[in-house]
Amino acid sequence: MKWYLKVLKQYADFNGRARRKEYWMFFLFNMIISYGITFIAIGLEVPSLSIVSTIYSFAVLVPGIAVAVRRMHDVGKSGWYCLIPIYNIILACTDGEQGSNEYGPNPKDPENDEIGDIGKPLLDD
């Protein structure tokens, strides 16, 4: 869930790199929430919940595109590679480039670990 929230915090940030874990965890939680809302709407026979599902889908559209672009950057490709149908899935499954590339530092580097800071209170030491 931390990875999902990290993507939402970087709502329209198309710069930098995203690890495979960040991309696929966002994808997983996005599908769970989307299908959950849809199944609840069907089970309760409440048509207004399908509107909620549509609103949710539009709300996560920009973060979904942004994390996909950052994922392409991690493998050293332009964000436009998201538009190539099967090749983009292959790239999304490929391990990122080691070390820094033109899009930023390696997100797997322990010094660049931002996910550990999500949800933790700031302490004055």
Side-chain angles (χ1 to χ4, degrees):
M1 190 66 161
K2 291 180 183 179
W3 293 102
Y4 180 80
L5 295 174
K6 180 181 186 297
V7 171
L8 292 181
K9 282 185 177 185
Q10 293 180 308
Y11 188 82
D13 183 12
F14 293 88
N15 299 318
R17 296 167 62 173
R19 305 173 54 165
R20 279 183 295 185
K21 188 172 189 174
E22 178 181 348
Y23 177 78
W24 289 111
M25 288 305 231
F26 176 78
F27 183 83
L28 173 68
F29 280 102
N30 190 28
M31 289 294 111
I32 290 171
I33 293 169
S34 184
Y35 284 121
I37 293 170
T38 302
F39 288 140
I40 290 171
I42 291 170
L44 297 177
E45 297 179 2
V46 180
S48 62
L49 279 179
S50 64
I51 294 169
V52 173
S53 178
T54 303
I55 291 170
Y56 171 76
S57 296
F58 280 122
V60 295
L61 179 66
V62 173
I65 294 169
V67 74
V69 167
R70 289 194 312 270
R71 181 70 204 122
M72 296 299 114
H73 288 172
D74 191 39
V75 294
K77 302 289 185 185
S78 168
W80 290 104
Y81 278 81
C82 293
L83 300 176
I84 302 173
I86 294 179
Y87 190 53
N88 65 3
I89 296 172
I90 294 169
L91 290 176
C93 295
T94 304
D95 193 19
E97 290 183 347
Q98 299 298 320
S100 295
N101 67 11
E102 64 182 294
Y103 301 105
N106 186 357
K108 283 188 177 181
D109 189 7
E111 294 175 7
N112 298 325
D113 187 24
E114 298 172 5
I115 194 68
D117 296 336
I118 294 177
K120 290 185 181 177
L122 298 174
L123 300 175
D124 295 324
D125 289 333

